[in-house]
Amino acid sequence: MSDFRCLSRSGAIASLLLLLSSTPIFAAFPRPTNSQNGMVTSAHPLATEAGVEILKRGGNAIDAAVATTLAISVVEPFSAGIGGGGFLLTKMGKDIKSLDFRERAPLTASRNMYLDAQGKVRPNASLEGHLAAGVPGTIAGLAAAHKQYGKLPWRTVVAPAIKLAREGFNVSEIYTEQAKSKQKLLASNPAAREIFTRNGQPLQPGDRLIQRDLARTLIAVARNPQNFYTGSIASAIDRDMRQHKGLITLADLKSYQPKWREPVCGKFRQYNVCSMAPPSSGGVHLLQILNTIGSTDLATLGWHSPDALHLLIESMRIAYADRSEYLGDPDFNRIPVSALTNPAYGNKRRQEINLDRARPSTTVQPAKPELLKQFDRSPVGVSERGTQPPTVTQPATPRAESLETSHLTIVDRDRNVVSLTFTVNYRFGAGVVVPGTGILLNDEMDDFAIAPGVPNVFGLVGGEKNSIAPGKTPLSSMTPTIVTENGRFRLAIGAPGGSTIITTVLQILLNVLEYKMDVGAAVAAGRIHHQWLPDRVNVDPWGFDPATLAELRRRGHQIEARSYWGNANAIGQLPDGRLEGAADQRGEGTARGL
Ligand code: GLY
């Protein structure tokens, strides 16, 4: 039975138990894993094991994160890998730092590269094939984090992934399900077909996936991470691109640099919430939504009550409207982070919300630049240059998305923390494996606004600030998050799920901090999502009682069941110092302590 069907059944049971027993209300959810000495959670048991082994050998959270990230790259090729990029948030000692190792647009990329001569979007051009790929950053990012903070030798932390690639592993139902959905794409690229299919058919659960080329690439990377960006690996990427009208060149690879950026941080109750700054929209809108909730006592309104859900939905609607207008690469634009994350701005937008009635998204607009200017706390004013709200030129219909992108959370004995989300974007990325390297390339270029108002694969629209330019970073929703209380680590969370990442992290955070749930229940609980456009509320079909949904409908919300949600994971620290961790039962991940 697939994990998804398992989930529906366990979800239905959970809902039933919730209805039947009110004390303790969250008893039906899975229990978290507890440990005193360190913990790893990731989307795959073998990747979690790789991280735990490194912690056992005396590695710190960064060492374990490198091992776990590279292991995910081997065992979850459909979600994330060394052909993609991501974001790392870390607390090493007192400071919280963030590293952007997201893909960049190739130096010859151009604004209209996915449009035809008539200015129409060429279907799938930003999603499939060589032209869809951005310059990969995973190896450079991991090497930079390790150079700064790692304790064990680099080759030691790369070793578990080499072993997994060389010796192989048995694929799961989830792998097969993902591969099946991309069967045609994988079969159309000779190297991808060779590695990820048997004569064009997806591997079946239990089949062994051995990746010899990837093992050789990882061995070269273990010698020197720069080998990815220069030398024979880079030449192979350059050659393959030239042969297939792709854009990534040796010059792109050689000039790739990860960037340490200031995380965005804000107060929620007594907690300090830090998350990823632009070029991810995740942190800004997580804080914006928390600020819009403001002092409303959600616990008094009741967990999953219509009043609490209505406020969350309306706050999400406003945040995603602002996202469409103001978010993009901060190295190319002035992004009004300070205003958007200002609690007073959240409070101001809150006043628009009618607590009894849903507002149609057509009546909710991104803030006017003059309004944001009033809330800008930074020395430089918000850019005066406002753009028009995007006009949606085609129906914003996100594809049913599932487990692409991957998150891992790690806490070591000294309470150093890593919250890392990375991706090849849509499942199996561009569907292109560079011959002889085993590197599956991303399709991250789709996260740009490929034309004003044209939604990406997740239904998100964007504007001028997220238009394509050479060397620019596409806007992300990845939201690796770390919460502290009086400087002490309290909670780290992250999730995959495209546009739903931000709202997933938000709800897990609220479940733990506001509703006092343990992290097992917090991660497992049913979720809602609204992203302004399309104007509808996605709900976990089993997660809400019918009366609640009926009341939301009465208030004017368009409710739509969504069966696939990102497999989040989280680690929290209890007052007695114990860690509790949970990997989402929506996927196959595990939390393991030591
Ligand atoms: N590719 C999904 C994201 O970065 O949000």
Side-chain angles (χ1 to χ4, degrees):
M1 172 178 288
S2 85
D3 287 50
F4 299 117
R5 273 178 284 147
C6 269
L7 172 66
S8 310
R9 199 177 55 181
S10 61
I13 294 168
S15 302
L16 189 66
L17 289 177
L18 273 173
L19 285 175
L20 294 178
S21 83
S22 52
T23 49
I25 191 165
F26 307 123
F29 289 122
R31 305 296 307 152
T33 304
N34 285 280
S35 169
Q36 204 47 264
N37 296 323
M39 188 166 297
V40 178
T41 62
S42 87
H44 198 286
L46 293 171
T48 298
E49 196 179 306
V52 167
E53 279 316 304
I54 292 295
L55 288 184
K56 280 187 184 159
R57 292 178 68 170
N60 63 19
I62 291 283
D63 293 318
V66 175
T68 309
T69 304
L70 290 176
I72 286 285
S73 303
V74 176
V75 299
E76 253 205 351
F78 52 83
S79 75
I82 66 172
F87 299 104
L88 170 149
L89 207 76
T90 185
K91 179 176 186 296
M92 295 295 291
K94 283 213 301 271
D95 294 340
I96 298 185
K97 303 272 182 209
S98 65
L99 182 66
D100 158 14
F101 56 96
R102 179 118 161 124
E103 301 89 330
R104 319 278 180 228
L107 297 170
T108 49
S110 55
R111 184 187 188 84
N112 296 332
M113 62 188 274
Y114 297 113
L115 306 185
D116 64 19
Q118 283 72 47
K120 293 236 166 1
V121 174
R122 288 188 282 131
N124 286 335
S126 60
L127 279 169
E128 297 182 350
H130 292 71
L131 200 60
V135 184
T138 300
I139 292 296
L142 295 180
H146 182 264
K147 187 169 172 207
Q148 186 73 23
Y149 295 114
K151 250 168 80 181
L152 297 181
W154 170 251
R155 64 174 184 285
T156 305
V157 295
V158 179
I162 297 174
K163 187 164 186 276
L164 284 168
R166 190 163 46 201
E167 295 178 6
F169 65 99
N170 296 340
V171 304
S172 62
E173 282 188 28
I174 285 182
Y175 175 96
T176 302
E177 201 170 312
Q178 299 287 306
K180 241 191 230 161
S181 73
K182 284 295 190 181
Q183 182 171 352
K184 227 168 108 196
L185 179 68
L186 293 174
S188 69
N189 177 268
R193 178 186 162 100
E194 175 73 26
I195 296 166
F196 297 123
T197 76
R198 294 267 182 280
N199 303 317
Q201 298 303 310
L203 302 186
Q204 292 304 304
D207 284 352
R208 201 147 186 91
L209 174 56
I210 293 173
Q211 300 172 77
R212 290 191 191 84
D213 288 345
L214 184 59
R216 271 193 294 278
T217 293
L218 289 169
I219 289 166
V221 163
R223 277 194 219 107
N224 180 355
Q226 261 314 105
N227 284 339
F228 188 95
Y229 295 93
T230 56
S232 62
I233 298 172
S235 296
I237 297 173
D238 177 277
R239 194 164 46 243
D240 197 40
M241 285 283 156
R242 281 173 204 272
Q243 283 168 4
H244 296 93
K245 299 199 172 98
L247 299 186
I248 301 174
T249 63
L250 281 174
D252 282 303
L253 292 159
K254 205 168 162 206
S255 61
Y256 183 89
Q257 292 293 337
K259 296 176 187 179
W260 290 99
R261 297 187 186 274
E262 274 305 305
V264 286
C265 296
K267 284 298 256 188
F268 180 68
R269 316 292 187 238
Q270 72 270 36
Y271 306 103
N272 190 40
V273 179
C274 288
S275 191
M276 195 64 219
S280 180
S281 60
V284 167
H285 298 304
L286 174 67
L287 293 178
Q288 183 183 352
I289 296 169
L290 289 172
N291 288 336
T292 312
I293 295 166
S295 58
T296 306
D297 183 351
L298 293 177
T300 301
L301 294 184
W303 185 68
H304 280 189
S305 67
D307 285 347
L309 294 173
H310 177 83
L311 178 59
L312 287 188
I313 294 163
E314 293 302 302
S315 306
M316 291 172 187
R317 194 193 302 272
I318 295 168
Y320 278 79
D322 281 342
R323 184 191 190 278
S324 73
E325 172 75 1
Y326 288 107
L327 270 285
D329 182 345
D331 298 338
F332 284 69
N333 304 283
R334 169 99 173 81
I335 310 293
V337 171
S338 148
L340 290 170
T341 59
N342 187 337
Y345 173 67
N347 188 40
K348 170 82 185 159
R349 296 297 309 253
R350 162 99 204 270
Q351 289 160 23
E352 293 170 18
I353 297 175
N354 179 337
L355 292 174
D356 298 320
R357 213 56 223 153
R359 290 190 303 164
S361 288
T362 44
T363 65
V364 176
Q365 294 298 322
K368 294 261 187 298
E370 311 83 71
L371 178 68
L372 283 184
K373 202 168 172 184
Q374 290 171 27
F375 293 98
D376 190 356
R377 299 162 293 177
S378 63
V380 190
V382 173
S383 164
E384 303 286 340
R385 197 172 63 90
T387 49
Q388 291 303 309
T391 315
V392 181
T393 55
Q394 66 182 50
T397 310
R399 296 184 192 188
E401 121 272 340
S402 51
L403 306 173
E404 51 269 309
T405 303
S406 205
H407 181 79
L408 49 110
T409 313
I410 297 178
V411 182
D412 68 21
R413 185 185 301 270
D414 299 325
R415 300 302 181 258
N416 298 312
V417 184
V418 170
S419 184
L420 183 154
T421 316
F422 76 129
T423 189
V424 289
N425 198 27
Y426 203 61
R427 51 185 96 130
F428 284 97
V432 169
V433 172
V434 179
T437 68
I439 299 168
L440 176 70
L441 291 173
N442 66 85
D443 56 353
E444 215 67 63
M445 293 294 284
D446 188 65
D447 272 349
F448 280 115
I450 58 175
V454 172
N456 73 359
V457 73
F458 303 112
L460 291 167
V461 286
E464 177 59 34
K465 294 199 181 212
N466 192 30
S467 60
I468 305 173
K472 196 172 173 183
T473 308
L475 182 61
S476 174
S477 299
M478 292 190 270
T479 316
T481 298
I482 296 177
V483 180
T484 56
E485 187 177 359
N486 298 323
R488 180 179 184 269
F489 165 65
R490 174 66 185 91
L491 182 66
I493 325 168
S499 55
T500 65
I501 294 175
I502 305 169
T503 54
T504 292
V505 169
L506 168 79
Q507 287 166 89
I508 296 170
L509 183 147
L510 291 174
N511 285 344
V512 175
L513 302 183
E514 188 80 343
Y515 294 108
K516 310 299 176 204
M517 293 163 76
D518 67 47
V519 296
V523 168
R527 298 175 195 151
I528 55 165
H529 172 74
H530 198 297
Q531 61 183 50
W532 182 54
L533 295 174
D535 190 350
R536 64 175 176 226
V537 185
N538 288 127
V539 299
D540 246 327
W542 54 267
F544 301 86
D545 73 71
T548 299
L549 297 181
E551 172 57 17
L552 289 174
R553 279 195 192 94
R554 194 197 61 75
R555 293 183 193 195
H557 295 287
Q558 298 276 351
I559 306 282
E560 201 171 277
R562 177 190 194 110
S563 52
Y564 285 3
W565 296 80
N567 49 333
N569 59 64
I571 299 177
Q573 181 170 224
L574 301 172
D576 65 7
R578 262 177 317 137
L579 299 171
E580 54 170 29
D584 205 324
Q585 57 176 358
R586 293 167 177 84
E588 59 189 331
T590 48
R592 270 188 58 194
L594 72 161

